[in-house]
Amino acid sequence: MTRRSKKNPFTFMEVLEQHVRESRVSFHVPGHHNGTVHDPSLPTAFHKIMPYDLTELEHLDDLHQAEGIIQQGEEALGTLYKSKSKWLVNGSTAGNWSMLAATVKRGERVYVQRNSHKSVWNAIEWLGLEPILLSPELERGSGIPTVVNLATVQEAVERYPGGKALLLTSPTYYGDMADIQAISTYLNQHMIPLLVDEAHGAHLIYDGLPRRSAIFEGASAVVQSAHKTLPAFTMGAWLHYKENVDENRLFHALSSFQTSSPSYLIMASLDHARTYLEHLTERDWSSIQTSHFAFVMELKRAGFAVKVGDDFTKVTILTYPKNGLIFSRHLASIGIDIELAAEDHVLLCLPLREIKMEEIHHWVKLIQNASKHVPLIEDDETIYPYPSTEQVSKLTVLHDVVKTVRLSFQDAVGQIAAETIISYPPGIPWILKGEMVTEEKVRVLVEWISLGRKLQASRHVMMKQIDVIVEEF
């Protein structure tokens, strides 16, 4: 017998607050038992939050079988985004895996943006999918990769027919957004669902924005990291989907790729983030955007070259001819922590709130002072564009039994890589497993290693070696 949904007049946060206020006895996990088990040296703030770290008690519902207060929260979220929605407690990573598992079966073909996050490539590898790579457009001047355009999507579908889904990244790390409406309209003619990794776009909901979340523009499923742009805890994310996504497969994937012990703190923060968005008025949106624009104008007045994408919360300072990596270290030394630094630029993520003018003047003054101590780039060979690749290409799918050999970077040129090398942030692979190693990619890797840029890779990569497949004839 199935239980009926137990509607509650309170929000998820209010239910947790009531539970804590009742000072209940905990004979259940987690092991801190409502915060009663702790070391006296534990910071006070941490101790205060422990009672809210709860488990699947009947009146607190179950994320994987939501019929009560969690179901209500997800329904409220779906109303806001005009979709069906699910909370995620393992970040957008779990959402990307689940979107793909729900729409593409093992061995089937999927179209995917080349500058996708590593979670997408991990999912494609472990789910056994055949990826067709779509290269993004490059911004003139900066060389920063942006989005995949409609013509590239059309070329991919025509050259490599039979794909079961297309996965795009929009907005990108730098705030550029694809023409989702045009792309989804084209894909609908071919019965191909559009999946969007919108990790940085949970806030793009206001109908006065030039471009909104892809879920409003025709996408079949969208994953958002609420924690990236909204007041939610790290790992808190959302998945929105439409009727053409197989719900049974989606739910099975979500329960498989997420923890069976979801964090109630994360879920409470997700409900708070949704409430925060709901309460933003038209005046609030205007004030937020105006203050962000004022910040950009002050940066320009201070002499900085600035790029702002379609997402107004992402601001890129183009530092050339000064070194962006060293610039970021000077900023950190005076208490300013940024999102990303590269050789010729730094990326700032602005908060979704009105920024006061006194904050703007203070921040810009600090940034300007830090810039004075940054040396010029001596050799422009350290400035690298996005790697030149075909607009549409097929990635070599490697099987577990494939033979590999470890070569020096230079000897590996022209070979197929047997491992993935990622610069982090942003978490986008520089070399993909199954992709050819080129002179350009090797040259960049050598420079990154000398500069101490953070790479997610095997230890031997830091010794300028890479595993490649052994071709047998």
Side-chain angles (χ1 to χ4, degrees), residues 137-147 172 174 176 307 316 318 344-345 385-386:
E137 299 301 301
L138 301 182
E139 184 178 71
R140 286 188 177 182
S142 69
I144 291 174
T146 60
V147 296
T172 65
Y174 297 93
D176 298 306
K307 161 188 162 59
T316 304
L318 305 173
D344 60 345
H345 65 266
Y386 187 74

Side-chain angles (χ1 to χ4, degrees), residues 338-358:
I338 63 170
E339 177 65 17
L340 173 146
E343 289 79 5
D344 60 345
H345 65 266
V346 296
L347 174 64
L348 315 180
C349 295
L350 303 188
L352 192 69
R353 64 169 176 84
E354 180 183 0
I355 306 173
K356 303 301 181 183
M357 283 308 301
E358 53 266 30

